[in-house]
Amino acid sequence: MPRGRRGGRVSALEGGPEEEAPPAAAAVPSALWASGLQPEAAAGQTLLRGIFEIGRSSCDVVLSELALRWWPIQPERPAGFSNRPKSLKVILNPLSHKKEATQVYYEKVEPLLRIAGIKTDVTITEYEGHALALLKDCELQEFDGVICVGGDGSASEVAHALLLRAQKNAGKETDSLLTPVRAQLPLGLIPAGSTNVLAHSLHGIPHVVTATLHIIMGHIQPVDVCTFSTTGKLLRFGFSAMFGFGGRALALAEKNRWMSPNQRRDFAIMKALAKLKPEDCEIFFLPCIGSHDLQEWKAEGSPKSDSSDQWQTIQGQFLNVSIMAIPCLCSVAPRGLAPTTRLNNGSMALIVVRNTSRPEFIKHLKRYASVKNQFNFPFVETYTVGEVRVRPRNKSGCDPEEDDGRQAAASEHSFPWNIDGDLVEAESEVLVK
């Protein structure tokens, strides 16, 4: 076959003008340069076939004795993933962890979404609560889902905002919320924080590309969410909470935001351990015995939640109380903070640590990072529950000495709760369901 200039062949492959093609090729009718025929129908013997990029599209290219033909490759929709998203709203927290969220998104996530043909609308949050304010009233009809790029605090805020929006759209009063409705749009989590408990629990690994591929493929995983309320008023939606040591440690960390995340965490834990003291409280809970109970509660909307003979009570001095609807996997607890619960089994894990010595409590904490059972202590009790009420009996959960006299008057009689890594102050008993 006659050969033209090398530059002419390249320009023809790139879809250039016909006059730049080789002389021999220029005599071929133009219809042959982008034929829709199958490769078997190409005239003459096939000399070369391969996949090449032409005009930023992957094309199946066939070179025969008489013609050069190519046609774009149309990716097939994988079986079982009929709900792949086409347009996504992205909420990005640029201050997450070491301010790496922006780089993570534009270097690892956005290229994959672009290749998958997914349109995105990105909002970079500017202050705490920005995502909540944005998602409260913005138009979301054109989107198939929402992505949060950030840590646990950002993800929890976005989930809370989507659920609040769903209650509003359903005409439900959040102050008297008994059975919340589901969010209309799924939430995708891209781990870009310091612990990434939510993303780790959802995917089994806090890996950015893995999380992105789950979103691209349209993989939907139902996840249990709790409502936290006090005196008939909704505090927030969330996935996990800690009261006592966990709440105090977070309160200390929040007062030292000038430190790096790891330094702030280590400092807060050490100081909370140095000033370790129990909380005097009563805990009421509705136990779940088996899957039959869960199915009954789901079907009947937990009608027996107010029946006094169903509630169980424990009281005394507690160093920490954990209530978790998901396993809460993270790097410091590879088995999870609540390894016996699941993402979507309709129940919560209630873990109470009664008062004990500081060395014994530290042994309990260290077990989370090992393969040993962290609950195998006489002062640790675990329950599978449907609802929990935590009622403090002491005046305040705040120590004036810890605050160096700077505690605001409004929170003198409040108790710190750690809800998904966010500090929430509650002045009375908290109901979790």
Side-chain angles (χ1 to χ4, degrees):
M1 184 177 75
R3 297 186 179 182
R5 293 174 291 108
R6 182 178 180 183
R9 290 200 302 272
V10 172
S11 64
L13 279 174
E14 294 178 349
E18 288 185 22
E19 57 269 23
E20 296 181 5
V28 181
S30 60
L32 294 179
W33 287 99
S35 172
L37 299 176
Q38 297 301 313
E40 293 78 4
Q45 181 181 359
T46 298
L47 302 178
L48 178 66
R49 182 178 181 182
I51 298 176
F52 297 89
E53 181 179 352
I54 301 178
R56 293 190 176 183
S57 297
S58 296
C59 296
D60 189 359
V61 180
V62 176
L63 176 64
S64 67
E65 292 179 338
L66 300 178
L68 173 65
R69 305 166 185 263
W70 73 85
W71 48 93
I73 297 176
Q74 301 295 334
E76 297 181 1
R77 186 179 298 275
F81 296 95
S82 58
N83 296 320
R84 292 180 62 191
K86 299 179 178 61
S87 179
L88 295 170
K89 177 66 180 179
V90 180
I91 307 295
L92 190 154
N93 181 3
L95 301 180
S96 288
H97 192 34
K98 298 178 181 179
K99 301 182 179 180
E100 299 172 342
T102 303
Q103 180 181 359
V104 165
Y105 176 75
Y106 285 105
E107 291 187 3
K108 297 182 178 181
V109 180
E110 193 272 340
L112 292 176
L113 298 178
R114 186 175 67 251
I115 291 173
I118 298 176
K119 298 179 181 180
T120 58
D121 181 75
V122 181
T123 296
I124 299 178
T125 58
E126 300 176 358
Y127 53 88
E128 184 177 355
H130 187 183
L132 178 61
L134 173 72
L135 294 174
K136 184 178 180 180
D137 299 312
C138 74
E139 295 293 331
L140 295 177
Q141 288 85 351
E142 61 182 292
F143 302 109
D144 301 314
V146 178
I147 293 180
C148 176
V149 185
D152 291 323
S154 303
S156 179
E157 180 183 339
V158 174
H160 175 65
L162 290 174
L163 286 166
L164 275 183
R165 182 188 181 103
Q167 311 318 306
K168 178 181 177 182
N169 293 341
K172 288 182 172 284
E173 293 290 338
T174 56
D175 287 344
S176 58
L177 198 60
L178 296 177
T179 307
V181 299
R182 293 174 177 267
Q184 286 91 351
L185 293 178
L187 171 61
L189 304 179
I190 302 297
S194 54
T195 54
N196 302 307
V197 167
L198 296 177
H200 198 156
S201 300
L202 183 61
H203 305 302
I205 183 174
H207 191 251
V208 172
V209 174
T210 298
T212 306
L213 292 177
H214 276 292
I215 294 170
I216 290 173
M217 302 301 286
H219 182 195
I220 303 295
Q221 170 62 59
V223 178
D224 291 333
V225 181
C226 306
T227 58
F228 297 86
S229 58
T230 179
T231 61
K233 181 181 180 181
L234 178 69
L235 290 175
R236 66 175 298 156
F237 294 97
F239 302 92
S240 64
M242 287 186 283
F243 173 75
F245 175 79
R248 289 176 177 273
L250 180 60
L252 288 168
E254 288 298 309
K255 293 173 184 175
N256 295 275
R257 300 288 297 183
W258 55 272
M259 295 183 181
S260 67
N262 291 336
Q263 289 177 330
R264 186 168 65 244
R265 180 194 63 197
D266 295 342
F267 169 79
I269 291 176
M270 294 300 294
K271 190 168 183 180
L273 284 172
K275 295 182 175 291
L276 185 66
K277 68 175 186 178
E279 298 284 357
D280 183 17
C281 60
E282 294 177 302
I283 302 174
F284 310 88
F285 61 90
L286 280 170
C288 293
I289 300 175
S291 59
H292 174 74
D293 293 345
L294 297 178
Q295 296 299 328
E296 181 179 294
W297 286 5
K298 288 180 179 180
E300 301 181 12
S302 185
K304 302 179 181 179
S305 60
D306 294 329
S307 178
S308 58
D309 58 348
Q310 296 293 321
W311 288 87
Q312 295 187 17
T313 306
I314 54 177
Q315 55 185 324
Q317 304 280 327
F318 300 98
L319 290 177
N320 191 69
V321 178
S322 298
I323 305 166
M324 301 179 176
I326 61 176
C328 294
L329 303 174
C330 58
S331 58
V332 297
R335 294 178 63 244
L337 300 177
T340 58
T341 192
R342 297 294 180 264
L343 291 174
N344 186 36
N345 63 354
S347 67
M348 301 177 290
L350 170 63
I351 305 164
V352 296
V353 181
R354 292 185 179 270
N355 192 21
T356 187
S357 65
R358 184 180 292 107
E360 286 297 304
F361 183 65
I362 293 175
K363 286 182 182 179
H364 163 65
L365 295 180
K366 286 184 175 180
R367 284 277 185 94
Y368 282 97
S370 69
V371 295
K372 296 181 180 179
N373 185 358
Q374 62 263 41
F375 308 131
N376 190 22
F377 291 93
F379 52 87
V380 179
E381 302 172 15
T382 62
Y383 305 90
T384 301
V385 300
E387 296 183 33
V388 183
R389 292 180 187 269
V390 180
R391 179 183 297 167
R393 295 191 295 195
N394 49 346
K395 292 183 178 181
S396 172
C398 302
D399 186 348
E401 294 182 2
E402 287 183 8
D403 301 333
D404 298 325
R406 291 174 292 180
Q407 182 70 24
S411 46
E412 286 179 354
H413 302 290
S414 63
F415 298 86
W417 280 76
N418 181 341
I419 301 181
D420 294 335
D422 283 342
L423 182 63
V424 177
E425 300 280 351
E427 298 182 3
S428 59
E429 77 171 25
V430 173
L431 171 63
V432 186
K433 60 186 295 187

